[in-house]
Amino acid sequence: MNRHNLRGLYAITPDDFMLPRLIALVKAALDGGVRLVQYRNKSVSADLRRVQAGALLSVCRVAGAKLIVNDDISLAVAINADGAHLGRDDFSCGSLLAAREALGPDRVLGVSCYNDMACAEAAVVAQADYLAVGSMFASTTKPQAVRASLDLVRAVRQRFDVPVCAIGGISLTNAPTVIDAGADMLAVISSLFDVMDIAEEARRFQSLFPTLTQTTSSTPRTKICLPAHKRPFPAASTRPSGPFARSVAPPVSLPGVKVLMFGMPMANATSTTWAPGGR
């Protein structure tokens, strides 16, 4: 039963310690019709995760989208997010049942099942709202992830009355085969956030679901001239330790270059200065 209407592109956020840039990336995806976002950041402190998750929740609320928190039930409940997604460390049925109880009946509970049908069974017993299967293909995010087959997607879809989310190395090229196998959702990171026009890429993914009602934001699209989270940062030892602290490297002159910062062109610029890791 798909009680939360879970279908279409599922945008998973990239690791990024700069909140304004992360917001710009997510807004661009929302402009392209994304209505399900997972906040996932394994590289920042718990304090900054709370700040980022809360800010993204506000952005998603405005767009009418759901925000799911990765691997942190307490954070999801604390900020009143729409749900949480759990992975390998929560496989026992008891742990999943405790997660379901903590979230309550109205929030979304998603569970990574990898290539394991027994995990899917435990998740269904715990009343999971969707089952994530994969990695379907080679993934740059998790190169060593176990691989799942299209046959497993078919088997999970046929056996359980729960939406199936395919994840891992999914692109516009291979997505149709996964959807044909029975996937209700496509969880994507790199193929969405590493492109020049995130909103347009999101629309292309959503168009693969012909029965999906596509709604887009009335606000102007967020243009990002480069995959923003790939821009150079300070070394890890100099990165900020608090939610709003930041470390700025020496400025780099870019003569004659007009830079887009978070989708906002610098007016009438013939040259500008940009500090890697700075705003």
Side-chain angles (χ1 to χ4, degrees), residues 1-7 100 105 108-109 124 127-131 156-164 184-185:
M1 181 175 64
N2 195 345
R3 64 194 185 98
H4 292 284
N5 193 30
L6 302 176
R7 184 165 170 78
R100 175 79 278 173
V108 175
L109 172 61
V124 170
Q127 301 178 44
D129 293 295
Y130 70 83
L131 309 173
V156 172
R157 191 70 183 86
Q158 291 170 3
R159 183 167 180 178
F160 305 111
D161 187 22
V162 177
V164 176
D184 300 282
M185 305 149 63

PDB file of all heavy atoms in Angstrom, residues 1-7 100 105 108-109 124 127-131 156-164 184-185:
ATOM      1  N   MET A   1       0.846  -1.196   0.000  1.00  0.00           N
ATOM      2  CA  MET A   1       0.000   0.000   0.000  1.00  0.00           C
ATOM      3  C   MET A   1       0.884   1.249   0.000  1.00  0.00           C
ATOM      4  O   MET A   1       1.797   1.355   0.815  1.00  0.00           O
ATOM      5  CB  MET A   1      -0.918   0.005   1.222  1.00  0.00           C
ATOM      6  CG  MET A   1      -1.854   1.202   1.292  1.00  0.00           C
ATOM      7  SD  MET A   1      -3.022   1.085   2.662  1.00  0.00           S
ATOM      8  CE  MET A   1      -1.911   1.143   4.060  1.00  0.00           C
ATOM      9  N   ASN A   2       0.602   2.151  -0.890  1.00  0.00           N
ATOM     10  CA  ASN A   2       1.399   3.371  -1.024  1.00  0.00           C
ATOM     11  C   ASN A   2       0.645   4.524  -0.367  1.00  0.00           C
ATOM     12  O   ASN A   2       0.122   5.414  -1.026  1.00  0.00           O
ATOM     13  CB  ASN A   2       1.659   3.656  -2.509  1.00  0.00           C
ATOM     14  CG  ASN A   2       2.753   4.678  -2.720  1.00  0.00           C
ATOM     15  OD1 ASN A   2       3.146   5.392  -1.806  1.00  0.00           O
ATOM     16  ND2 ASN A   2       3.231   4.777  -3.951  1.00  0.00           N
ATOM     17  N   ARG A   3       0.637   4.520   0.960  1.00  0.00           N
ATOM     18  CA  ARG A   3      -0.206   5.485   1.679  1.00  0.00           C
ATOM     19  C   ARG A   3       0.350   6.898   1.653  1.00  0.00           C
ATOM     20  O   ARG A   3      -0.371   7.857   1.934  1.00  0.00           O
ATOM     21  CB  ARG A   3      -0.435   5.025   3.113  1.00  0.00           C
ATOM     22  CG  ARG A   3       0.785   4.957   3.986  1.00  0.00           C
ATOM     23  CD  ARG A   3       0.520   4.175   5.267  1.00  0.00           C
ATOM     24  NE  ARG A   3       1.659   4.204   6.176  1.00  0.00           N
ATOM     25  CZ  ARG A   3       1.756   5.032   7.204  1.00  0.00           C
ATOM     26  NH1 ARG A   3       0.800   5.914   7.448  1.00  0.00           N
ATOM     27  NH2 ARG A   3       2.803   4.993   7.991  1.00  0.00           N
ATOM     28  N   HIS A   4       1.630   7.057   1.318  1.00  0.00           N
ATOM     29  CA  HIS A   4       2.240   8.393   1.257  1.00  0.00           C
ATOM     30  C   HIS A   4       2.425   8.873  -0.188  1.00  0.00           C
ATOM     31  O   HIS A   4       3.083   9.887  -0.408  1.00  0.00           O
ATOM     32  CB  HIS A   4       3.579   8.401   1.981  1.00  0.00           C
ATOM     33  CG  HIS A   4       3.471   8.220   3.465  1.00  0.00           C
ATOM     34  ND1 HIS A   4       3.052   9.230   4.314  1.00  0.00           N
ATOM     35  CD2 HIS A   4       3.713   7.133   4.254  1.00  0.00           C
ATOM     36  CE1 HIS A   4       3.058   8.790   5.561  1.00  0.00           C
ATOM     37  NE2 HIS A   4       3.454   7.528   5.557  1.00  0.00           N
ATOM     38  N   ASN A   5       1.873   8.143  -1.140  1.00  0.00           N
ATOM     39  CA  ASN A   5       2.003   8.509  -2.548  1.00  0.00           C
ATOM     40  C   ASN A   5       3.475   8.673  -2.948  1.00  0.00           C
ATOM     41  O   ASN A   5       3.873   9.671  -3.548  1.00  0.00           O
ATOM     42  CB  ASN A   5       1.218   9.797  -2.847  1.00  0.00           C
ATOM     43  CG  ASN A   5       1.061  10.040  -4.338  1.00  0.00           C
ATOM     44  OD1 ASN A   5       1.010   9.106  -5.135  1.00  0.00           O
ATOM     45  ND2 ASN A   5       0.973  11.301  -4.724  1.00  0.00           N
ATOM     46  N   LEU A   6       4.258   7.666  -2.620  1.00  0.00           N
ATOM     47  CA  LEU A   6       5.703   7.703  -2.887  1.00  0.00           C
ATOM     48  C   LEU A   6       5.965   7.185  -4.299  1.00  0.00           C
ATOM     49  O   LEU A   6       5.857   5.990  -4.566  1.00  0.00           O
ATOM     50  CB  LEU A   6       6.443   6.844  -1.861  1.00  0.00           C
ATOM     51  CG  LEU A   6       6.227   7.245  -0.395  1.00  0.00           C
ATOM     52  CD1 LEU A   6       6.917   6.263   0.536  1.00  0.00           C
ATOM     53  CD2 LEU A   6       6.716   8.668  -0.134  1.00  0.00           C
ATOM     54  N   ARG A   7       6.324   8.099  -5.170  1.00  0.00           N
ATOM     55  CA  ARG A   7       6.558   7.735  -6.568  1.00  0.00           C
ATOM     56  C   ARG A   7       7.393   8.820  -7.233  1.00  0.00           C
ATOM     57  O   ARG A   7       7.246  10.010  -6.940  1.00  0.00           O
ATOM     58  CB  ARG A   7       5.237   7.555  -7.306  1.00  0.00           C
ATOM     59  CG  ARG A   7       5.396   7.075  -8.756  1.00  0.00           C
ATOM     60  CD  ARG A   7       4.062   6.578  -9.298  1.00  0.00           C
ATOM     61  NE  ARG A   7       4.103   6.334 -10.734  1.00  0.00           N
ATOM     62  CZ  ARG A   7       4.638   5.270 -11.319  1.00  0.00           C
ATOM     63  NH1 ARG A   7       5.174   4.324 -10.558  1.00  0.00           N
ATOM     64  NH2 ARG A   7       4.636   5.123 -12.621  1.00  0.00           N
ATOM     65  N   ARG A 100       9.925   2.449  14.084  1.00  0.00           N
ATOM     66  CA  ARG A 100       8.541   2.730  13.691  1.00  0.00           C
ATOM     67  C   ARG A 100       7.771   3.378  14.838  1.00  0.00           C
ATOM     68  O   ARG A 100       7.012   4.343  14.638  1.00  0.00           O
ATOM     69  CB  ARG A 100       7.872   1.419  13.271  1.00  0.00           C
ATOM     70  CG  ARG A 100       6.373   1.500  12.947  1.00  0.00           C
ATOM     71  CD  ARG A 100       6.110   2.063  11.556  1.00  0.00           C
ATOM     72  NE  ARG A 100       6.142   3.509  11.488  1.00  0.00           N
ATOM     73  CZ  ARG A 100       6.068   4.196  10.349  1.00  0.00           C
ATOM     74  NH1 ARG A 100       5.996   3.571   9.195  1.00  0.00           N
ATOM     75  NH2 ARG A 100       6.091   5.508  10.358  1.00  0.00           N
ATOM     76  N   PRO A 105       2.905   6.724  13.568  1.00  0.00           N
ATOM     77  CA  PRO A 105       2.251   6.113  12.405  1.00  0.00           C
ATOM     78  C   PRO A 105       2.203   6.979  11.156  1.00  0.00           C
ATOM     79  O   PRO A 105       1.986   6.466  10.058  1.00  0.00           O
ATOM     80  CB  PRO A 105       0.830   5.838  12.917  1.00  0.00           C
ATOM     81  CG  PRO A 105       0.610   6.897  13.971  1.00  0.00           C
ATOM     82  CD  PRO A 105       1.949   7.096  14.621  1.00  0.00           C
ATOM     83  N   VAL A 108       7.095   8.801   7.391  1.00  0.00           N
ATOM     84  CA  VAL A 108       7.598   7.802   6.452  1.00  0.00           C
ATOM     85  C   VAL A 108       8.790   7.068   7.073  1.00  0.00           C
ATOM     86  O   VAL A 108       9.699   7.697   7.615  1.00  0.00           O
ATOM     87  CB  VAL A 108       8.046   8.470   5.135  1.00  0.00           C
ATOM     88  CG1 VAL A 108       8.677   7.444   4.196  1.00  0.00           C
ATOM     89  CG2 VAL A 108       6.861   9.163   4.462  1.00  0.00           C
ATOM     90  N   LEU A 109       8.770   5.738   6.985  1.00  0.00           N
ATOM     91  CA  LEU A 109       9.918   4.920   7.372  1.00  0.00           C
ATOM     92  C   LEU A 109      10.411   4.181   6.133  1.00  0.00           C
ATOM     93  O   LEU A 109       9.704   3.372   5.552  1.00  0.00           O
ATOM     94  CB  LEU A 109       9.543   3.913   8.464  1.00  0.00           C
ATOM     95  CG  LEU A 109      10.627   2.868   8.807  1.00  0.00           C
ATOM     96  CD1 LEU A 109      11.896   3.557   9.312  1.00  0.00           C
ATOM     97  CD2 LEU A 109      10.101   1.871   9.845  1.00  0.00           C
ATOM     98  N   VAL A 124       9.093  -4.986   6.173  1.00  0.00           N
ATOM     99  CA  VAL A 124       7.645  -5.010   5.993  1.00  0.00           C
ATOM    100  C   VAL A 124       6.941  -5.334   7.318  1.00  0.00           C
ATOM    101  O   VAL A 124       5.921  -4.732   7.651  1.00  0.00           O
ATOM    102  CB  VAL A 124       7.255  -6.029   4.899  1.00  0.00           C
ATOM    103  CG1 VAL A 124       5.748  -6.239   4.863  1.00  0.00           C
ATOM    104  CG2 VAL A 124       7.750  -5.545   3.540  1.00  0.00           C
ATOM    105  N   GLN A 127       6.478  -2.409   9.343  1.00  0.00           N
ATOM    106  CA  GLN A 127       5.607  -1.423   8.703  1.00  0.00           C
ATOM    107  C   GLN A 127       6.394  -0.314   8.007  1.00  0.00           C
ATOM    108  O   GLN A 127       6.038   0.867   8.096  1.00  0.00           O
ATOM    109  CB  GLN A 127       4.629  -0.822   9.713  1.00  0.00           C
ATOM    110  CG  GLN A 127       3.736  -1.852  10.384  1.00  0.00           C
ATOM    111  CD  GLN A 127       2.816  -1.231  11.426  1.00  0.00           C
ATOM    112  OE1 GLN A 127       2.211  -0.176  11.189  1.00  0.00           O
ATOM    113  NE2 GLN A 127       2.712  -1.864  12.574  1.00  0.00           N
ATOM    114  N   ALA A 128       7.449  -0.711   7.308  1.00  0.00           N
ATOM    115  CA  ALA A 128       8.183   0.261   6.490  1.00  0.00           C
ATOM    116  C   ALA A 128       7.289   0.763   5.368  1.00  0.00           C
ATOM    117  O   ALA A 128       6.440   0.034   4.846  1.00  0.00           O
ATOM    118  CB  ALA A 128       9.435  -0.388   5.910  1.00  0.00           C
ATOM    119  N   ASP A 129       7.485   2.008   4.984  1.00  0.00           N
ATOM    120  CA  ASP A 129       6.661   2.618   3.936  1.00  0.00           C
ATOM    121  C   ASP A 129       7.273   2.465   2.556  1.00  0.00           C
ATOM    122  O   ASP A 129       6.583   2.640   1.552  1.00  0.00           O
ATOM    123  CB  ASP A 129       6.455   4.104   4.243  1.00  0.00           C
ATOM    124  CG  ASP A 129       5.607   4.299   5.488  1.00  0.00           C
ATOM    125  OD1 ASP A 129       4.422   3.923   5.457  1.00  0.00           O
ATOM    126  OD2 ASP A 129       6.140   4.810   6.494  1.00  0.00           O
ATOM    127  N   TYR A 130       8.576   2.174   2.485  1.00  0.00           N
ATOM    128  CA  TYR A 130       9.192   1.825   1.200  1.00  0.00           C
ATOM    129  C   TYR A 130      10.429   0.990   1.455  1.00  0.00           C
ATOM    130  O   TYR A 130      11.034   1.036   2.535  1.00  0.00           O
ATOM    131  CB  TYR A 130       9.523   3.065   0.358  1.00  0.00           C
ATOM    132  CG  TYR A 130      10.641   3.938   0.861  1.00  0.00           C
ATOM    133  CD1 TYR A 130      11.985   3.629   0.592  1.00  0.00           C
ATOM    134  CD2 TYR A 130      10.381   5.093   1.595  1.00  0.00           C
ATOM    135  CE1 TYR A 130      13.017   4.434   1.042  1.00  0.00           C
ATOM    136  CE2 TYR A 130      11.404   5.895   2.054  1.00  0.00           C
ATOM    137  CZ  TYR A 130      12.719   5.568   1.775  1.00  0.00           C
ATOM    138  OH  TYR A 130      13.739   6.366   2.234  1.00  0.00           O
ATOM    139  N   LEU A 131      10.803   0.202   0.451  1.00  0.00           N
ATOM    140  CA  LEU A 131      11.959  -0.683   0.522  1.00  0.00           C
ATOM    141  C   LEU A 131      12.967  -0.237  -0.531  1.00  0.00           C
ATOM    142  O   LEU A 131      12.646  -0.195  -1.719  1.00  0.00           O
ATOM    143  CB  LEU A 131      11.542  -2.135   0.264  1.00  0.00           C
ATOM    144  CG  LEU A 131      10.365  -2.661   1.099  1.00  0.00           C
ATOM    145  CD1 LEU A 131       9.964  -4.050   0.621  1.00  0.00           C
ATOM    146  CD2 LEU A 131      10.715  -2.674   2.584  1.00  0.00           C
ATOM    147  N   VAL A 156      10.773  -8.325  -5.209  1.00  0.00           N
ATOM    148  CA  VAL A 156      10.310  -7.515  -4.073  1.00  0.00           C
ATOM    149  C   VAL A 156       8.983  -6.834  -4.418  1.00  0.00           C
ATOM    150  O   VAL A 156       8.057  -6.785  -3.600  1.00  0.00           O
ATOM    151  CB  VAL A 156      11.379  -6.474  -3.690  1.00  0.00           C
ATOM    152  CG1 VAL A 156      10.838  -5.496  -2.647  1.00  0.00           C
ATOM    153  CG2 VAL A 156      12.625  -7.169  -3.158  1.00  0.00           C
ATOM    154  N   ARG A 157       8.883  -6.335  -5.632  1.00  0.00           N
ATOM    155  CA  ARG A 157       7.647  -5.650  -6.060  1.00  0.00           C
ATOM    156  C   ARG A 157       6.462  -6.606  -6.081  1.00  0.00           C
ATOM    157  O   ARG A 157       5.344  -6.229  -5.697  1.00  0.00           O
ATOM    158  CB  ARG A 157       7.855  -5.056  -7.467  1.00  0.00           C
ATOM    159  CG  ARG A 157       6.737  -4.115  -7.890  1.00  0.00           C
ATOM    160  CD  ARG A 157       6.796  -2.849  -7.066  1.00  0.00           C
ATOM    161  NE  ARG A 157       5.714  -1.948  -7.385  1.00  0.00           N
ATOM    162  CZ  ARG A 157       4.503  -1.998  -6.824  1.00  0.00           C
ATOM    163  NH1 ARG A 157       4.233  -2.925  -5.922  1.00  0.00           N
ATOM    164  NH2 ARG A 157       3.579  -1.131  -7.146  1.00  0.00           N
ATOM    165  N   GLN A 158       6.694  -7.841  -6.511  1.00  0.00           N
ATOM    166  CA  GLN A 158       5.608  -8.814  -6.597  1.00  0.00           C
ATOM    167  C   GLN A 158       5.214  -9.375  -5.230  1.00  0.00           C
ATOM    168  O   GLN A 158       4.052  -9.684  -4.993  1.00  0.00           O
ATOM    169  CB  GLN A 158       6.020  -9.957  -7.528  1.00  0.00           C
ATOM    170  CG  GLN A 158       6.134  -9.538  -8.994  1.00  0.00           C
ATOM    171  CD  GLN A 158       6.767 -10.614  -9.860  1.00  0.00           C
ATOM    172  OE1 GLN A 158       7.089 -11.709  -9.386  1.00  0.00           O
ATOM    173  NE2 GLN A 158       6.974 -10.301 -11.143  1.00  0.00           N
ATOM    174  N   ARG A 159       6.197  -9.483  -4.337  1.00  0.00           N
ATOM    175  CA  ARG A 159       5.939 -10.134  -3.050  1.00  0.00           C
ATOM    176  C   ARG A 159       5.299  -9.213  -2.026  1.00  0.00           C
ATOM    177  O   ARG A 159       4.491  -9.647  -1.202  1.00  0.00           O
ATOM    178  CB  ARG A 159       7.244 -10.708  -2.499  1.00  0.00           C
ATOM    179  CG  ARG A 159       7.075 -11.467  -1.216  1.00  0.00           C
ATOM    180  CD  ARG A 159       8.303 -12.274  -0.878  1.00  0.00           C
ATOM    181  NE  ARG A 159       8.149 -13.008   0.347  1.00  0.00           N
ATOM    182  CZ  ARG A 159       9.069 -13.824   0.847  1.00  0.00           C
ATOM    183  NH1 ARG A 159      10.209 -14.004   0.202  1.00  0.00           N
ATOM    184  NH2 ARG A 159       8.872 -14.454   1.989  1.00  0.00           N
ATOM    185  N   PHE A 160       5.666  -7.944  -2.038  1.00  0.00           N
ATOM    186  CA  PHE A 160       5.215  -7.032  -0.989  1.00  0.00           C
ATOM    187  C   PHE A 160       4.393  -5.887  -1.564  1.00  0.00           C
ATOM    188  O   PHE A 160       4.713  -5.354  -2.624  1.00  0.00           O
ATOM    189  CB  PHE A 160       6.405  -6.448  -0.232  1.00  0.00           C
ATOM    190  CG  PHE A 160       7.330  -7.492   0.341  1.00  0.00           C
ATOM    191  CD1 PHE A 160       8.608  -7.648  -0.172  1.00  0.00           C
ATOM    192  CD2 PHE A 160       6.919  -8.306   1.376  1.00  0.00           C
ATOM    193  CE1 PHE A 160       9.469  -8.600   0.346  1.00  0.00           C
ATOM    194  CE2 PHE A 160       7.772  -9.271   1.906  1.00  0.00           C
ATOM    195  CZ  PHE A 160       9.050  -9.424   1.384  1.00  0.00           C
ATOM    196  N   ASP A 161       3.376  -5.519  -0.837  1.00  0.00           N
ATOM    197  CA  ASP A 161       2.534  -4.396  -1.256  1.00  0.00           C
ATOM    198  C   ASP A 161       3.083  -3.102  -0.665  1.00  0.00           C
ATOM    199  O   ASP A 161       2.394  -2.374   0.067  1.00  0.00           O
ATOM    200  CB  ASP A 161       1.093  -4.640  -0.803  1.00  0.00           C
ATOM    201  CG  ASP A 161       0.132  -3.596  -1.360  1.00  0.00           C
ATOM    202  OD1 ASP A 161       0.470  -2.965  -2.385  1.00  0.00           O
ATOM    203  OD2 ASP A 161      -0.951  -3.411  -0.761  1.00  0.00           O
ATOM    204  N   VAL A 162       4.343  -2.827  -0.972  1.00  0.00           N
ATOM    205  CA  VAL A 162       5.053  -1.666  -0.449  1.00  0.00           C
ATOM    206  C   VAL A 162       5.860  -1.062  -1.599  1.00  0.00           C
ATOM    207  O   VAL A 162       6.451  -1.805  -2.386  1.00  0.00           O
ATOM    208  CB  VAL A 162       6.004  -2.074   0.698  1.00  0.00           C
ATOM    209  CG1 VAL A 162       6.803  -0.876   1.212  1.00  0.00           C
ATOM    210  CG2 VAL A 162       5.227  -2.709   1.849  1.00  0.00           C
ATOM    211  N   PRO A 163       5.907   0.256  -1.718  1.00  0.00           N
ATOM    212  CA  PRO A 163       6.698   0.868  -2.799  1.00  0.00           C
ATOM    213  C   PRO A 163       8.161   0.436  -2.767  1.00  0.00           C
ATOM    214  O   PRO A 163       8.762   0.290  -1.693  1.00  0.00           O
ATOM    215  CB  PRO A 163       6.555   2.368  -2.532  1.00  0.00           C
ATOM    216  CG  PRO A 163       5.277   2.501  -1.779  1.00  0.00           C
ATOM    217  CD  PRO A 163       5.175   1.274  -0.938  1.00  0.00           C
ATOM    218  N   VAL A 164       8.732   0.255  -3.939  1.00  0.00           N
ATOM    219  CA  VAL A 164      10.134  -0.136  -4.086  1.00  0.00           C
ATOM    220  C   VAL A 164      10.927   1.056  -4.606  1.00  0.00           C
ATOM    221  O   VAL A 164      10.549   1.684  -5.603  1.00  0.00           O
ATOM    222  CB  VAL A 164      10.288  -1.320  -5.050  1.00  0.00           C
ATOM    223  CG1 VAL A 164      11.766  -1.660  -5.258  1.00  0.00           C
ATOM    224  CG2 VAL A 164       9.534  -2.539  -4.526  1.00  0.00           C
ATOM    225  N   ASP A 184       9.156   1.977  -8.007  1.00  0.00           N
ATOM    226  CA  ASP A 184       8.230   3.112  -7.876  1.00  0.00           C
ATOM    227  C   ASP A 184       8.980   4.431  -7.730  1.00  0.00           C
ATOM    228  O   ASP A 184       8.439   5.494  -8.033  1.00  0.00           O
ATOM    229  CB  ASP A 184       7.341   2.928  -6.637  1.00  0.00           C
ATOM    230  CG  ASP A 184       6.517   1.662  -6.692  1.00  0.00           C
ATOM    231  OD1 ASP A 184       5.496   1.659  -7.396  1.00  0.00           O
ATOM    232  OD2 ASP A 184       6.908   0.664  -6.045  1.00  0.00           O
ATOM    233  N   MET A 185      10.200   4.345  -7.240  1.00  0.00           N
ATOM    234  CA  MET A 185      11.000   5.534  -6.960  1.00  0.00           C
ATOM    235  C   MET A 185      12.436   5.300  -7.414  1.00  0.00           C
ATOM    236  O   MET A 185      12.923   4.167  -7.394  1.00  0.00           O
ATOM    237  CB  MET A 185      10.999   5.845  -5.453  1.00  0.00           C
ATOM    238  CG  MET A 185       9.616   5.988  -4.839  1.00  0.00           C
ATOM    239  SD  MET A 185       9.591   5.452  -3.101  1.00  0.00           S
ATOM    240  CE  MET A 185      10.720   6.626  -2.374  1.00  0.00           C
TER     241      MET A 185
END
